[in-house]
Amino acid sequence: QVQLVESGGGLVQPGGSLRLSCAASGRILKINAMGWYRQAPGKQRELVATTTGGGSTNYVDSVKGRFTISRDNAKNTVYLQMNSLKPEDTAVYYCNADVVTVVVETITEREYWGQGTQVTVSS
């Protein structure tokens, strides 16, 4: 069984910073792509940032230059450093990972999601 545990969310003032972490644990053979998504009230979930197994990164235009995604493969952890936060960044942030795992002695790749962590940017 694979679990993704997120941390680092909270309340911050506009212009402030937060660092989100997502640690994967369980029967992990390999993690390929990892990423962060967010969903604001009344809006669809959107991709914020992703990092591939090869280390390439991609960001939604609204966070470019402010957010940085990184990963520590030894810890099976992905991070999202969020700087210069704006009220419109307020959302539930979800971690996502494509994991090569073992299910009933069968090697398979599955997509896992974290439970979500609330980020609120307000003065």
Side-chain angles (χ1 to χ4, degrees):
Q1 189 171 347
V2 176
Q3 293 182 335
L4 271 55
V5 180
E6 302 167 344
S7 62
L11 175 65
V12 67
Q13 296 183 16
S17 298
L18 285 174
R19 182 179 175 87
L20 305 183
S21 299
C22 173
S25 62
R27 304 175 74 179
I28 299 170
L29 298 179
K30 185 176 184 292
I31 299 179
N32 294 317
M34 304 186 78
W36 291 93
Y37 294 72
R38 68 185 181 187
Q39 186 168 22
K43 296 184 178 180
Q44 293 182 299
R45 185 176 299 185
E46 68 170 346
L47 185 150
V48 178
T50 59
T51 178
T52 68
S56 298
T57 59
N58 180 261
Y59 301 89
V60 67
D61 287 343
S62 61
V63 308
K64 288 182 178 178
R66 300 188 298 120
F67 291 10
T68 302
I69 187 171
S70 61
R71 62 194 294 173
D72 185 337
N73 292 328
K75 297 181 179 180
N76 291 325
T77 300
V78 63
Y79 306 93
L80 186 66
Q81 178 66 48
M82 304 184 295
N83 299 324
S84 302
L85 283 162
K86 304 175 181 180
E88 50 263 43
D89 294 318
T90 296
V92 177
Y93 284 70
Y94 297 90
C95 175
N96 172 272
D98 294 321
V99 180
V100 179
T101 185
V102 178
V103 179
V104 195
E105 299 185 333
T106 301
I107 299 174
T108 187
E109 182 175 3
R110 289 189 175 182
E111 185 178 71
Y112 291 89
W113 290 87
Q115 77 287 350
T117 183
Q118 178 70 49
V119 172
T120 302
V121 185
S122 176
S123 60

PDB file of all heavy atoms in Angstrom, residues 67-103:
ATOM      1  N   PHE A  67       6.798  30.066  -7.728  1.00  0.00           N
ATOM      2  CA  PHE A  67       6.796  28.721  -7.143  1.00  0.00           C
ATOM      3  C   PHE A  67       7.942  27.906  -7.725  1.00  0.00           C
ATOM      4  O   PHE A  67       8.313  28.067  -8.898  1.00  0.00           O
ATOM      5  CB  PHE A  67       5.484  27.996  -7.439  1.00  0.00           C
ATOM      6  CG  PHE A  67       4.275  28.548  -6.735  1.00  0.00           C
ATOM      7  CD1 PHE A  67       4.306  29.749  -6.052  1.00  0.00           C
ATOM      8  CD2 PHE A  67       3.084  27.835  -6.769  1.00  0.00           C
ATOM      9  CE1 PHE A  67       3.185  30.253  -5.411  1.00  0.00           C
ATOM     10  CE2 PHE A  67       1.953  28.321  -6.132  1.00  0.00           C
ATOM     11  CZ  PHE A  67       1.997  29.531  -5.452  1.00  0.00           C
ATOM     12  N   THR A  68       8.469  27.001  -6.918  1.00  0.00           N
ATOM     13  CA  THR A  68       9.507  26.090  -7.358  1.00  0.00           C
ATOM     14  C   THR A  68       9.201  24.689  -6.858  1.00  0.00           C
ATOM     15  O   THR A  68       9.008  24.484  -5.661  1.00  0.00           O
ATOM     16  CB  THR A  68      10.897  26.514  -6.849  1.00  0.00           C
ATOM     17  OG1 THR A  68      11.198  27.836  -7.301  1.00  0.00           O
ATOM     18  CG2 THR A  68      11.963  25.559  -7.374  1.00  0.00           C
ATOM     19  N   ILE A  69       9.152  23.739  -7.778  1.00  0.00           N
ATOM     20  CA  ILE A  69       8.953  22.351  -7.406  1.00  0.00           C
ATOM     21  C   ILE A  69      10.308  21.651  -7.399  1.00  0.00           C
ATOM     22  O   ILE A  69      11.150  21.903  -8.262  1.00  0.00           O
ATOM     23  CB  ILE A  69       7.965  21.641  -8.355  1.00  0.00           C
ATOM     24  CG1 ILE A  69       7.630  20.235  -7.840  1.00  0.00           C
ATOM     25  CG2 ILE A  69       8.497  21.587  -9.781  1.00  0.00           C
ATOM     26  CD1 ILE A  69       6.493  19.560  -8.607  1.00  0.00           C
ATOM     27  N   SER A  70      10.513  20.793  -6.426  1.00  0.00           N
ATOM     28  CA  SER A  70      11.747  20.030  -6.327  1.00  0.00           C
ATOM     29  C   SER A  70      11.446  18.688  -5.690  1.00  0.00           C
ATOM     30  O   SER A  70      10.366  18.476  -5.132  1.00  0.00           O
ATOM     31  CB  SER A  70      12.809  20.792  -5.521  1.00  0.00           C
ATOM     32  OG  SER A  70      12.372  21.027  -4.196  1.00  0.00           O
ATOM     33  N   ARG A  71      12.398  17.782  -5.772  1.00  0.00           N
ATOM     34  CA  ARG A  71      12.178  16.460  -5.206  1.00  0.00           C
ATOM     35  C   ARG A  71      13.457  15.902  -4.620  1.00  0.00           C
ATOM     36  O   ARG A  71      14.562  16.221  -5.061  1.00  0.00           O
ATOM     37  CB  ARG A  71      11.611  15.504  -6.265  1.00  0.00           C
ATOM     38  CG  ARG A  71      12.526  15.252  -7.455  1.00  0.00           C
ATOM     39  CD  ARG A  71      11.781  14.578  -8.599  1.00  0.00           C
ATOM     40  NE  ARG A  71      11.336  13.232  -8.255  1.00  0.00           N
ATOM     41  CZ  ARG A  71      10.544  12.482  -9.028  1.00  0.00           C
ATOM     42  NH1 ARG A  71      10.093  12.979 -10.176  1.00  0.00           N
ATOM     43  NH2 ARG A  71      10.202  11.263  -8.643  1.00  0.00           N
ATOM     44  N   ASP A  72      13.280  15.060  -3.617  1.00  0.00           N
ATOM     45  CA  ASP A  72      14.363  14.338  -2.991  1.00  0.00           C
ATOM     46  C   ASP A  72      14.046  12.862  -3.178  1.00  0.00           C
ATOM     47  O   ASP A  72      13.231  12.292  -2.452  1.00  0.00           O
ATOM     48  CB  ASP A  72      14.485  14.698  -1.514  1.00  0.00           C
ATOM     49  CG  ASP A  72      15.687  14.063  -0.844  1.00  0.00           C
ATOM     50  OD1 ASP A  72      16.191  13.038  -1.344  1.00  0.00           O
ATOM     51  OD2 ASP A  72      16.129  14.584   0.192  1.00  0.00           O
ATOM     52  N   ASN A  73      14.667  12.260  -4.160  1.00  0.00           N
ATOM     53  CA  ASN A  73      14.346  10.874  -4.491  1.00  0.00           C
ATOM     54  C   ASN A  73      14.706   9.904  -3.365  1.00  0.00           C
ATOM     55  O   ASN A  73      14.040   8.882  -3.184  1.00  0.00           O
ATOM     56  CB  ASN A  73      15.054  10.472  -5.780  1.00  0.00           C
ATOM     57  CG  ASN A  73      14.507  11.189  -6.999  1.00  0.00           C
ATOM     58  OD1 ASN A  73      13.318  11.503  -7.065  1.00  0.00           O
ATOM     59  ND2 ASN A  73      15.362  11.451  -7.973  1.00  0.00           N
ATOM     60  N   ALA A  74      15.747  10.211  -2.613  1.00  0.00           N
ATOM     61  CA  ALA A  74      16.142   9.346  -1.511  1.00  0.00           C
ATOM     62  C   ALA A  74      15.073   9.293  -0.432  1.00  0.00           C
ATOM     63  O   ALA A  74      14.953   8.300   0.290  1.00  0.00           O
ATOM     64  CB  ALA A  74      17.471   9.808  -0.920  1.00  0.00           C
ATOM     65  N   LYS A  75      14.296  10.364  -0.299  1.00  0.00           N
ATOM     66  CA  LYS A  75      13.240  10.436   0.699  1.00  0.00           C
ATOM     67  C   LYS A  75      11.848  10.247   0.101  1.00  0.00           C
ATOM     68  O   LYS A  75      10.856  10.340   0.830  1.00  0.00           O
ATOM     69  CB  LYS A  75      13.296  11.774   1.423  1.00  0.00           C
ATOM     70  CG  LYS A  75      14.578  12.005   2.209  1.00  0.00           C
ATOM     71  CD  LYS A  75      14.552  13.353   2.913  1.00  0.00           C
ATOM     72  CE  LYS A  75      15.818  13.572   3.723  1.00  0.00           C
ATOM     73  NZ  LYS A  75      15.808  14.889   4.410  1.00  0.00           N
ATOM     74  N   ASN A  76      11.773  10.004  -1.200  1.00  0.00           N
ATOM     75  CA  ASN A  76      10.478   9.877  -1.886  1.00  0.00           C
ATOM     76  C   ASN A  76       9.576  11.066  -1.582  1.00  0.00           C
ATOM     77  O   ASN A  76       8.386  10.912  -1.313  1.00  0.00           O
ATOM     78  CB  ASN A  76       9.788   8.567  -1.505  1.00  0.00           C
ATOM     79  CG  ASN A  76      10.502   7.344  -2.048  1.00  0.00           C
ATOM     80  OD1 ASN A  76      11.060   7.377  -3.143  1.00  0.00           O
ATOM     81  ND2 ASN A  76      10.481   6.254  -1.296  1.00  0.00           N
ATOM     82  N   THR A  77      10.150  12.238  -1.655  1.00  0.00           N
ATOM     83  CA  THR A  77       9.459  13.450  -1.250  1.00  0.00           C
ATOM     84  C   THR A  77       9.532  14.507  -2.345  1.00  0.00           C
ATOM     85  O   THR A  77      10.577  14.684  -2.979  1.00  0.00           O
ATOM     86  CB  THR A  77      10.054  14.011   0.044  1.00  0.00           C
ATOM     87  OG1 THR A  77       9.918  13.043   1.090  1.00  0.00           O
ATOM     88  CG2 THR A  77       9.332  15.284   0.472  1.00  0.00           C
ATOM     89  N   VAL A  78       8.432  15.203  -2.545  1.00  0.00           N
ATOM     90  CA  VAL A  78       8.379  16.330  -3.454  1.00  0.00           C
ATOM     91  C   VAL A  78       8.003  17.574  -2.660  1.00  0.00           C
ATOM     92  O   VAL A  78       7.226  17.502  -1.705  1.00  0.00           O
ATOM     93  CB  VAL A  78       7.385  16.084  -4.617  1.00  0.00           C
ATOM     94  CG1 VAL A  78       5.960  15.927  -4.092  1.00  0.00           C
ATOM     95  CG2 VAL A  78       7.468  17.198  -5.647  1.00  0.00           C
ATOM     96  N   TYR A  79       8.574  18.707  -3.047  1.00  0.00           N
ATOM     97  CA  TYR A  79       8.357  19.960  -2.352  1.00  0.00           C
ATOM     98  C   TYR A  79       7.785  20.998  -3.307  1.00  0.00           C
ATOM     99  O   TYR A  79       7.999  20.943  -4.514  1.00  0.00           O
ATOM    100  CB  TYR A  79       9.657  20.508  -1.769  1.00  0.00           C
ATOM    101  CG  TYR A  79      10.403  19.543  -0.883  1.00  0.00           C
ATOM    102  CD1 TYR A  79      11.400  18.727  -1.398  1.00  0.00           C
ATOM    103  CD2 TYR A  79      10.115  19.460   0.478  1.00  0.00           C
ATOM    104  CE1 TYR A  79      12.094  17.844  -0.590  1.00  0.00           C
ATOM    105  CE2 TYR A  79      10.800  18.579   1.293  1.00  0.00           C
ATOM    106  CZ  TYR A  79      11.785  17.780   0.758  1.00  0.00           C
ATOM    107  OH  TYR A  79      12.474  16.898   1.577  1.00  0.00           O
ATOM    108  N   LEU A  80       7.085  21.947  -2.748  1.00  0.00           N
ATOM    109  CA  LEU A  80       6.639  23.106  -3.497  1.00  0.00           C
ATOM    110  C   LEU A  80       6.939  24.347  -2.667  1.00  0.00           C
ATOM    111  O   LEU A  80       6.272  24.602  -1.665  1.00  0.00           O
ATOM    112  CB  LEU A  80       5.144  23.034  -3.823  1.00  0.00           C
ATOM    113  CG  LEU A  80       4.619  24.153  -4.726  1.00  0.00           C
ATOM    114  CD1 LEU A  80       5.223  24.049  -6.126  1.00  0.00           C
ATOM    115  CD2 LEU A  80       3.099  24.135  -4.807  1.00  0.00           C
ATOM    116  N   GLN A  81       7.962  25.085  -3.080  1.00  0.00           N
ATOM    117  CA  GLN A  81       8.296  26.339  -2.439  1.00  0.00           C
ATOM    118  C   GLN A  81       7.460  27.437  -3.076  1.00  0.00           C
ATOM    119  O   GLN A  81       7.551  27.668  -4.280  1.00  0.00           O
ATOM    120  CB  GLN A  81       9.784  26.648  -2.595  1.00  0.00           C
ATOM    121  CG  GLN A  81      10.221  27.972  -1.982  1.00  0.00           C
ATOM    122  CD  GLN A  81      10.102  27.990  -0.478  1.00  0.00           C
ATOM    123  OE1 GLN A  81      10.535  27.062   0.193  1.00  0.00           O
ATOM    124  NE2 GLN A  81       9.497  29.036   0.060  1.00  0.00           N
ATOM    125  N   MET A  82       6.658  28.105  -2.277  1.00  0.00           N
ATOM    126  CA  MET A  82       5.744  29.127  -2.762  1.00  0.00           C
ATOM    127  C   MET A  82       6.141  30.472  -2.175  1.00  0.00           C
ATOM    128  O   MET A  82       6.065  30.676  -0.960  1.00  0.00           O
ATOM    129  CB  MET A  82       4.298  28.789  -2.395  1.00  0.00           C
ATOM    130  CG  MET A  82       3.840  27.415  -2.881  1.00  0.00           C
ATOM    131  SD  MET A  82       2.092  27.097  -2.543  1.00  0.00           S
ATOM    132  CE  MET A  82       2.112  27.077  -0.750  1.00  0.00           C
ATOM    133  N   ASN A  83       6.575  31.378  -3.022  1.00  0.00           N
ATOM    134  CA  ASN A  83       6.965  32.716  -2.622  1.00  0.00           C
ATOM    135  C   ASN A  83       6.017  33.748  -3.225  1.00  0.00           C
ATOM    136  O   ASN A  83       5.296  33.471  -4.174  1.00  0.00           O
ATOM    137  CB  ASN A  83       8.397  33.015  -3.068  1.00  0.00           C
ATOM    138  CG  ASN A  83       9.415  32.086  -2.463  1.00  0.00           C
ATOM    139  OD1 ASN A  83       9.292  31.667  -1.313  1.00  0.00           O
ATOM    140  ND2 ASN A  83      10.454  31.765  -3.231  1.00  0.00           N
ATOM    141  N   SER A  84       6.056  34.938  -2.664  1.00  0.00           N
ATOM    142  CA  SER A  84       5.224  36.040  -3.157  1.00  0.00           C
ATOM    143  C   SER A  84       3.776  35.618  -3.321  1.00  0.00           C
ATOM    144  O   SER A  84       3.141  35.861  -4.348  1.00  0.00           O
ATOM    145  CB  SER A  84       5.786  36.575  -4.482  1.00  0.00           C
ATOM    146  OG  SER A  84       7.117  37.015  -4.331  1.00  0.00           O
ATOM    147  N   LEU A  85       3.244  34.999  -2.302  1.00  0.00           N
ATOM    148  CA  LEU A  85       1.898  34.452  -2.378  1.00  0.00           C
ATOM    149  C   LEU A  85       0.852  35.544  -2.529  1.00  0.00           C
ATOM    150  O   LEU A  85       0.971  36.634  -1.960  1.00  0.00           O
ATOM    151  CB  LEU A  85       1.606  33.604  -1.149  1.00  0.00           C
ATOM    152  CG  LEU A  85       2.262  32.222  -1.165  1.00  0.00           C
ATOM    153  CD1 LEU A  85       2.292  31.620   0.227  1.00  0.00           C
ATOM    154  CD2 LEU A  85       1.508  31.302  -2.125  1.00  0.00           C
ATOM    155  N   LYS A  86      -0.174  35.229  -3.296  1.00  0.00           N
ATOM    156  CA  LYS A  86      -1.276  36.134  -3.566  1.00  0.00           C
ATOM    157  C   LYS A  86      -2.577  35.529  -3.058  1.00  0.00           C
ATOM    158  O   LYS A  86      -2.688  34.306  -2.944  1.00  0.00           O
ATOM    159  CB  LYS A  86      -1.390  36.401  -5.073  1.00  0.00           C
ATOM    160  CG  LYS A  86      -0.127  36.931  -5.721  1.00  0.00           C
ATOM    161  CD  LYS A  86      -0.299  37.045  -7.232  1.00  0.00           C
ATOM    162  CE  LYS A  86       0.961  37.559  -7.899  1.00  0.00           C
ATOM    163  NZ  LYS A  86       0.792  37.661  -9.383  1.00  0.00           N
ATOM    164  N   PRO A  87      -3.580  36.355  -2.773  1.00  0.00           N
ATOM    165  CA  PRO A  87      -4.868  35.808  -2.334  1.00  0.00           C
ATOM    166  C   PRO A  87      -5.446  34.788  -3.304  1.00  0.00           C
ATOM    167  O   PRO A  87      -6.097  33.829  -2.865  1.00  0.00           O
ATOM    168  CB  PRO A  87      -5.756  37.052  -2.229  1.00  0.00           C
ATOM    169  CG  PRO A  87      -4.806  38.151  -1.904  1.00  0.00           C
ATOM    170  CD  PRO A  87      -3.561  37.828  -2.692  1.00  0.00           C
ATOM    171  N   GLU A  88      -5.212  34.968  -4.597  1.00  0.00           N
ATOM    172  CA  GLU A  88      -5.731  34.031  -5.574  1.00  0.00           C
ATOM    173  C   GLU A  88      -5.036  32.677  -5.540  1.00  0.00           C
ATOM    174  O   GLU A  88      -5.469  31.742  -6.226  1.00  0.00           O
ATOM    175  CB  GLU A  88      -5.663  34.616  -6.991  1.00  0.00           C
ATOM    176  CG  GLU A  88      -4.308  35.189  -7.359  1.00  0.00           C
ATOM    177  CD  GLU A  88      -4.234  36.690  -7.165  1.00  0.00           C
ATOM    178  OE1 GLU A  88      -4.731  37.183  -6.124  1.00  0.00           O
ATOM    179  OE2 GLU A  88      -3.695  37.380  -8.057  1.00  0.00           O
ATOM    180  N   ASP A  89      -3.966  32.550  -4.769  1.00  0.00           N
ATOM    181  CA  ASP A  89      -3.327  31.258  -4.570  1.00  0.00           C
ATOM    182  C   ASP A  89      -4.063  30.410  -3.542  1.00  0.00           C
ATOM    183  O   ASP A  89      -3.728  29.235  -3.359  1.00  0.00           O
ATOM    184  CB  ASP A  89      -1.875  31.429  -4.133  1.00  0.00           C
ATOM    185  CG  ASP A  89      -1.007  32.064  -5.203  1.00  0.00           C
ATOM    186  OD1 ASP A  89      -1.150  31.702  -6.386  1.00  0.00           O
ATOM    187  OD2 ASP A  89      -0.171  32.924  -4.852  1.00  0.00           O
ATOM    188  N   THR A  90      -5.032  30.990  -2.863  1.00  0.00           N
ATOM    189  CA  THR A  90      -5.790  30.267  -1.853  1.00  0.00           C
ATOM    190  C   THR A  90      -6.507  29.080  -2.479  1.00  0.00           C
ATOM    191  O   THR A  90      -7.270  29.234  -3.427  1.00  0.00           O
ATOM    192  CB  THR A  90      -6.801  31.188  -1.167  1.00  0.00           C
ATOM    193  OG1 THR A  90      -6.108  32.225  -0.463  1.00  0.00           O
ATOM    194  CG2 THR A  90      -7.660  30.415  -0.180  1.00  0.00           C
ATOM    195  N   ALA A  91      -6.258  27.898  -1.952  1.00  0.00           N
ATOM    196  CA  ALA A  91      -6.836  26.677  -2.491  1.00  0.00           C
ATOM    197  C   ALA A  91      -6.411  25.499  -1.630  1.00  0.00           C
ATOM    198  O   ALA A  91      -5.553  25.629  -0.760  1.00  0.00           O
ATOM    199  CB  ALA A  91      -6.384  26.451  -3.937  1.00  0.00           C
ATOM    200  N   VAL A  92      -7.021  24.365  -1.898  1.00  0.00           N
ATOM    201  CA  VAL A  92      -6.528  23.112  -1.362  1.00  0.00           C
ATOM    202  C   VAL A  92      -5.509  22.570  -2.343  1.00  0.00           C
ATOM    203  O   VAL A  92      -5.803  22.428  -3.535  1.00  0.00           O
ATOM    204  CB  VAL A  92      -7.656  22.090  -1.139  1.00  0.00           C
ATOM    205  CG1 VAL A  92      -7.094  20.769  -0.636  1.00  0.00           C
ATOM    206  CG2 VAL A  92      -8.681  22.638  -0.154  1.00  0.00           C
ATOM    207  N   TYR A  93      -4.328  22.285  -1.860  1.00  0.00           N
ATOM    208  CA  TYR A  93      -3.247  21.795  -2.702  1.00  0.00           C
ATOM    209  C   TYR A  93      -3.104  20.289  -2.525  1.00  0.00           C
ATOM    210  O   TYR A  93      -3.038  19.789  -1.401  1.00  0.00           O
ATOM    211  CB  TYR A  93      -1.935  22.499  -2.357  1.00  0.00           C
ATOM    212  CG  TYR A  93      -1.861  23.909  -2.897  1.00  0.00           C
ATOM    213  CD1 TYR A  93      -2.650  24.921  -2.358  1.00  0.00           C
ATOM    214  CD2 TYR A  93      -1.020  24.227  -3.965  1.00  0.00           C
ATOM    215  CE1 TYR A  93      -2.602  26.205  -2.864  1.00  0.00           C
ATOM    216  CE2 TYR A  93      -0.967  25.511  -4.470  1.00  0.00           C
ATOM    217  CZ  TYR A  93      -1.759  26.498  -3.920  1.00  0.00           C
ATOM    218  OH  TYR A  93      -1.704  27.786  -4.425  1.00  0.00           O
ATOM    219  N   TYR A  94      -3.039  19.589  -3.645  1.00  0.00           N
ATOM    220  CA  TYR A  94      -2.967  18.135  -3.653  1.00  0.00           C
ATOM    221  C   TYR A  94      -1.661  17.664  -4.270  1.00  0.00           C
ATOM    222  O   TYR A  94      -1.240  18.162  -5.320  1.00  0.00           O
ATOM    223  CB  TYR A  94      -4.122  17.529  -4.456  1.00  0.00           C
ATOM    224  CG  TYR A  94      -5.499  17.817  -3.896  1.00  0.00           C
ATOM    225  CD1 TYR A  94      -6.205  18.940  -4.289  1.00  0.00           C
ATOM    226  CD2 TYR A  94      -6.086  16.946  -2.982  1.00  0.00           C
ATOM    227  CE1 TYR A  94      -7.468  19.209  -3.786  1.00  0.00           C
ATOM    228  CE2 TYR A  94      -7.347  17.203  -2.475  1.00  0.00           C
ATOM    229  CZ  TYR A  94      -8.037  18.336  -2.881  1.00  0.00           C
ATOM    230  OH  TYR A  94      -9.295  18.590  -2.379  1.00  0.00           O
ATOM    231  N   CYS A  95      -1.065  16.693  -3.639  1.00  0.00           N
ATOM    232  CA  CYS A  95       0.131  16.047  -4.162  1.00  0.00           C
ATOM    233  C   CYS A  95      -0.271  14.853  -5.012  1.00  0.00           C
ATOM    234  O   CYS A  95      -1.237  14.146  -4.704  1.00  0.00           O
ATOM    235  CB  CYS A  95       1.023  15.605  -3.004  1.00  0.00           C
ATOM    236  SG  CYS A  95       2.482  14.659  -3.484  1.00  0.00           S
ATOM    237  N   ASN A  96       0.470  14.627  -6.073  1.00  0.00           N
ATOM    238  CA  ASN A  96       0.213  13.519  -6.982  1.00  0.00           C
ATOM    239  C   ASN A  96       1.527  12.833  -7.331  1.00  0.00           C
ATOM    240  O   ASN A  96       2.554  13.492  -7.479  1.00  0.00           O
ATOM    241  CB  ASN A  96      -0.470  14.033  -8.251  1.00  0.00           C
ATOM    242  CG  ASN A  96      -0.605  12.974  -9.330  1.00  0.00           C
ATOM    243  OD1 ASN A  96       0.299  12.796 -10.150  1.00  0.00           O
ATOM    244  ND2 ASN A  96      -1.728  12.280  -9.336  1.00  0.00           N
ATOM    245  N   ALA A  97       1.481  11.514  -7.468  1.00  0.00           N
ATOM    246  CA  ALA A  97       2.682  10.773  -7.828  1.00  0.00           C
ATOM    247  C   ALA A  97       2.326   9.538  -8.631  1.00  0.00           C
ATOM    248  O   ALA A  97       1.347   8.850  -8.334  1.00  0.00           O
ATOM    249  CB  ALA A  97       3.471  10.368  -6.582  1.00  0.00           C
ATOM    250  N   ASP A  98       3.117   9.275  -9.650  1.00  0.00           N
ATOM    251  CA  ASP A  98       3.024   8.038 -10.412  1.00  0.00           C
ATOM    252  C   ASP A  98       4.031   7.067  -9.823  1.00  0.00           C
ATOM    253  O   ASP A  98       5.238   7.287  -9.915  1.00  0.00           O
ATOM    254  CB  ASP A  98       3.309   8.280 -11.895  1.00  0.00           C
ATOM    255  CG  ASP A  98       2.259   9.145 -12.553  1.00  0.00           C
ATOM    256  OD1 ASP A  98       1.071   8.970 -12.237  1.00  0.00           O
ATOM    257  OD2 ASP A  98       2.636   9.993 -13.393  1.00  0.00           O
ATOM    258  N   VAL A  99       3.535   5.996  -9.224  1.00  0.00           N
ATOM    259  CA  VAL A  99       4.365   5.104  -8.424  1.00  0.00           C
ATOM    260  C   VAL A  99       4.383   3.704  -9.021  1.00  0.00           C
ATOM    261  O   VAL A  99       3.332   3.135  -9.325  1.00  0.00           O
ATOM    262  CB  VAL A  99       3.864   5.031  -6.967  1.00  0.00           C
ATOM    263  CG1 VAL A  99       4.743   4.100  -6.141  1.00  0.00           C
ATOM    264  CG2 VAL A  99       3.830   6.420  -6.356  1.00  0.00           C
ATOM    265  N   VAL A 100       5.574   3.162  -9.172  1.00  0.00           N
ATOM    266  CA  VAL A 100       5.724   1.756  -9.515  1.00  0.00           C
ATOM    267  C   VAL A 100       5.712   0.981  -8.206  1.00  0.00           C
ATOM    268  O   VAL A 100       6.584   1.176  -7.353  1.00  0.00           O
ATOM    269  CB  VAL A 100       7.020   1.495 -10.294  1.00  0.00           C
ATOM    270  CG1 VAL A 100       7.151   0.007 -10.616  1.00  0.00           C
ATOM    271  CG2 VAL A 100       7.053   2.319 -11.574  1.00  0.00           C
ATOM    272  N   THR A 101       4.729   0.106  -8.043  1.00  0.00           N
ATOM    273  CA  THR A 101       4.546  -0.587  -6.789  1.00  0.00           C
ATOM    274  C   THR A 101       4.249  -2.060  -7.044  1.00  0.00           C
ATOM    275  O   THR A 101       4.293  -2.538  -8.175  1.00  0.00           O
ATOM    276  CB  THR A 101       3.418   0.070  -5.971  1.00  0.00           C
ATOM    277  OG1 THR A 101       3.308  -0.550  -4.688  1.00  0.00           O
ATOM    278  CG2 THR A 101       2.082  -0.029  -6.700  1.00  0.00           C
ATOM    279  N   VAL A 102       3.943  -2.766  -5.980  1.00  0.00           N
ATOM    280  CA  VAL A 102       3.628  -4.191  -6.063  1.00  0.00           C
ATOM    281  C   VAL A 102       2.252  -4.420  -5.468  1.00  0.00           C
ATOM    282  O   VAL A 102       2.005  -4.079  -4.314  1.00  0.00           O
ATOM    283  CB  VAL A 102       4.668  -5.055  -5.326  1.00  0.00           C
ATOM    284  CG1 VAL A 102       4.276  -6.524  -5.400  1.00  0.00           C
ATOM    285  CG2 VAL A 102       6.050  -4.845  -5.925  1.00  0.00           C
ATOM    286  N   VAL A 103       1.363  -4.991  -6.249  1.00  0.00           N
ATOM    287  CA  VAL A 103       0.017  -5.323  -5.806  1.00  0.00           C
ATOM    288  C   VAL A 103      -0.215  -6.803  -6.063  1.00  0.00           C
ATOM    289  O   VAL A 103      -0.203  -7.247  -7.212  1.00  0.00           O
ATOM    290  CB  VAL A 103      -1.054  -4.485  -6.532  1.00  0.00           C
ATOM    291  CG1 VAL A 103      -2.445  -4.875  -6.047  1.00  0.00           C
ATOM    292  CG2 VAL A 103      -0.804  -3.004  -6.318  1.00  0.00           C
TER     293      VAL A 103
END
